[in-house]
Amino acid sequence: MTADLFPPDSELSLAPGALLLPGLALDQAGVLLDAVNAVTAAAALRQLHTPGGQLMQVAMSNCGDLGWVSDARGYRYQAHDPLTGRAWPTMPALIKQLAAAAAQRAGFADFDPDACLINRYLPGNRLSLHQDRDEQDYSQPIVSISLGLPAVFLFGGLTRADKPARLTLQHGDVLVWGGPSRLRFHGVQPLAAGEHPLLGACRINLTLRRAN
Ligand code: MD6
Ligand code: FE
C-alpha cells in the first residue's frame, strides 16, 4: 500500500509545478467516494464522443458550476448537463477543500475550483495523450485525485513528441499540476484488471480546475 511506502506527509516533486502527494486522500477515501456516488446518482456517468466522432472509453460526469463536455461541436465547459438540461450537482465541500489544500502545498495558494470532472475507468479503458487547454487561465493548477485501481499515468512534455514518463497513481494519491507543467501532454494507459476493496473493478479520477 502507498501508506506503507511513503510517510504520511510525503511529497514527490515530478517537475517544476507538478507535485505528487501520495496517499493524501487515503483517510477520506470512503467519504469522497460517497460524495462521488451522490453526484453520479444525479448526473450519470456517460461516455462522450470526441469532436471527431470517436466514442471515449472513459465514462465522465461533473460537479461544480461548470462541467467539461465533448461532442461533435467540440470540447468545452458548460453550466448544464447535456443529458438532463439541469445544472451540474454542487461540488461537495470535502472535495473542494482537499483540492485547495493540495494546491496550497504545491505553492498555489488561491486555487478556487469551479469545475470537477469525474472519470471512471473500467479494465482496459485508456485515455489518449492530450493537453488540458479548455480552461481560461493557465496560471491556475489542476488537482487530480485518484481512487480505486491503480493506473499508469503518462507524464509527457510540452510537445506531443516528448517521450512520456510512466507514473503509477494509486488509490488516495493526489497530483497537483500547474505552473510550467500546466500544458504538459498526459494520458492513462489501459487500466489493468483487478479488484479494489472499496471500488471493485474500477478506477475513479477527479480533476478539479478553475475553468472560467
Ligand atoms: C486521469 N487525468 O488521471 C486523467 N489532466 O484519469 C487527467 O487527464 C489529468 O490527472 C490534467 C491534470 C491531471 C490529470
Ligand atoms: Fe487531462
Side-chain angles (χ1 to χ4, degrees), residues 34-86:
D34 291 343
V36 170
N37 287 336
V39 168
T40 58
L45 289 162
R46 83 295 302 261
Q47 289 171 269
L48 301 173
H49 286 90
T50 67
Q54 293 252 60
L55 186 66
M56 297 179 72
Q57 294 181 349
V58 177
M60 300 185 177
S61 185
N62 293 278
C63 56
D65 292 341
L66 291 168
W68 187 85
V69 297
S70 175
D71 60 20
R73 288 158 47 209
Y75 303 126
R76 65 192 173 277
Y77 285 92
Q78 63 177 49
H80 295 90
D81 179 349
L83 275 187
T84 62
R86 295 193 302 256

Side-chain angles (χ1 to χ4, degrees), residues 119 121 127 130 132 142 144 153 177 186 188 203 205 207:
N119 288 163
Y121 296 75
L127 188 67
H130 67 278
D132 288 14
I142 296 174
S144 149
F153 190 72
W177 180 287
H186 57 282
V188 177
R203 170 178 185 256
N205 177 261
T207 46

